[in-house]
Amino acid sequence: MSGHVFVVGADLTRLSCDDVLVPTDRSLRVTRSWRSLLPAELITEERDDGDCVGLSWSGDERVLEVPGDGARRAWLVDTVDDRGRGLPWLLEGAREALAAVARREVTRPVHGRARRLVGLPALGTGWGGAAGARGALLQQLLPVLRQAAEEHGFDVALVLRGPSDLAAAQRVRRGEDGGWDLPGHLRELAEQMGERARRGQLALFIGAGVSAAAGLPTWEQLVDELAARSGLDDGLREGLSRLPAQDSAALLARELGTEKLEAFVEERFGPGPYALAHALIAALPVQEFVTTNYDPLVELAAADIGREVRVLPYDEAEPGSPWLLKLHGDAAHPESVVLTREEYLQSGSTGAALAGVLHSLLLTRHVLFVGTSMLDDDLIRIAHQVRTALQQGPGTARRTGTVLALRDDPARARLWERDVETVAMGPADACPAEAARRLEVLLDLIGCLSTPPTGYLLDPAYRGMLDAEERALAEALGRVAESLPAGISSEAGAEVASLLRRLGHGGTAADGDTAPVDVATRDRDDRPQEQRPG
């Protein structure tokens, strides 16, 4: 079965995957940003221009498997073209690396994913020599990756970090139909959600299913983990399964004590590798996110592509900045976590204030629900209150969102049909892992269709992708950029500078002389922040 090629903004060292391709040269030098992927004992020398790895090439091979016993395997790939062999040589290195990866048997992909996931950067765009020809590289690399995914059956994540790199890659995919294996109704849904996102009309609700793909527990699994720490006898632990989850949590909280419970939550749901879905969600041009999750993985994924997400109610919301509302608390503030039934009942005015934010989104945006079973008591109450409000006037009843469910559940869809449309990734008997993977592919398509197509216009590394009209416009805007004084102080000047950054000005080191090997820039995300009523 064919794999899929994802294009995602992320930090490849923190993206949860099975295999990672790490750029190097014939001296086995790697930049320090890749060090966390390599065993410390393999680093033989630390230098300003890169650290040396204690392995050796065998003949003319270009791929080396890094020894290790962890779930994630790193592969060193020679990408530095010091002989002027050009893009064909780089592309052949990508083919060889992916073929070598395929020869390593992986029986259980990371965190139960349906397919093995292989991550790589845009090879050769640092010291490799292709920094000034990123457009040509993406146009030729993406078909190579799709061919490898089709041949070997695994999924590939092309990981980019610069806004202009992401915008250019998405344009290439839109022009070539990037291989999204989705039925017609899901493609139509992706077009609708992409259009809503571009217009500022989309908000996201993120449930526990998204973080489960990063190895974090669902509610039921969390109760099991707490029970294992509680010291309860087998009879009581067996009885927990017959209680509602919130009541089970209440009993376990009593046994563990507040201090131990908070310490567990802070540790278990703290910073760590994020899943592909986190990165796909964080890159969407959406400004308003809501979650019942305790972990920081969405905001970490967003920070890795230059998006500064404000976490409510702990941070102060800032005009123009995206925000994430945590309805049930944050692991960084373990005393805020809502876990037991008593905590749900005692949330009182604080919970009402937070719920009011979701009320507002349901009334003024279209909310896309991802990774939630729609069984949370707070969510049910909020939906009922919004439905009641919409029924106050004639003809105002409408659906306020879309739920992306893994499997078809006609009863649950019927239950929620007055509030939201439920779209299943597969039939009722579908494999959950395959359904979750289809959801990732859908999010990938939504991201592609919603990415502004102008983010690389002023980036000289992508000049070759522009048509005649775009080149003329880029030259005119380039003169504007050159005329801006250093240290702009006026509001008008700052606004123009922000616009130019959104169009890719200053986006990459086009000549490649000072760029670290294959690591894209991490410029501030200056995408338009305005919002329009839904």
Side-chain angles (χ1 to χ4, degrees), residues 478-497:
R479 291 192 291 270
V480 173
E482 291 173 0
S483 69
L484 289 176
I488 297 172
S489 58
S490 69
E491 291 186 7
E495 188 71 21
V496 172

Side-chain angles (χ1 to χ4, degrees), residues 18 105 119 269 303 327 340 370 375 391 399 405-406 421 443 463 467 513 524:
D18 298 281
E105 185 178 0
F269 294 92
L327 278 178
T340 69
V370 184
L375 293 178
Q391 290 172 345
R399 289 175 172 173
L406 293 186
E421 179 186 11
L443 291 172
R463 189 174 291 115
D467 59 30
D513 291 339
R524 174 183 170 85

Side-chain angles (χ1 to χ4, degrees), residues 28 39 41 58 106 109 118 149 196 206 217 248 250 255 285 305 315 348 372 460 528:
L28 290 172
E41 61 271 18
S58 174
V106 175
V118 181
R196 290 183 185 274
I206 305 158
S248 296
E255 293 294 324
I305 55 170
D315 298 333
T372 175

Side-chain angles (χ1 to χ4, degrees), residues 287-306:
Q287 297 303 109
E288 297 145 333
F289 303 86
V290 179
T291 186
T292 49
N293 298 343
Y294 312 136
D295 63 75
L297 300 186
V298 170
E299 52 265 45
L300 285 177
D304 282 339
I305 55 170

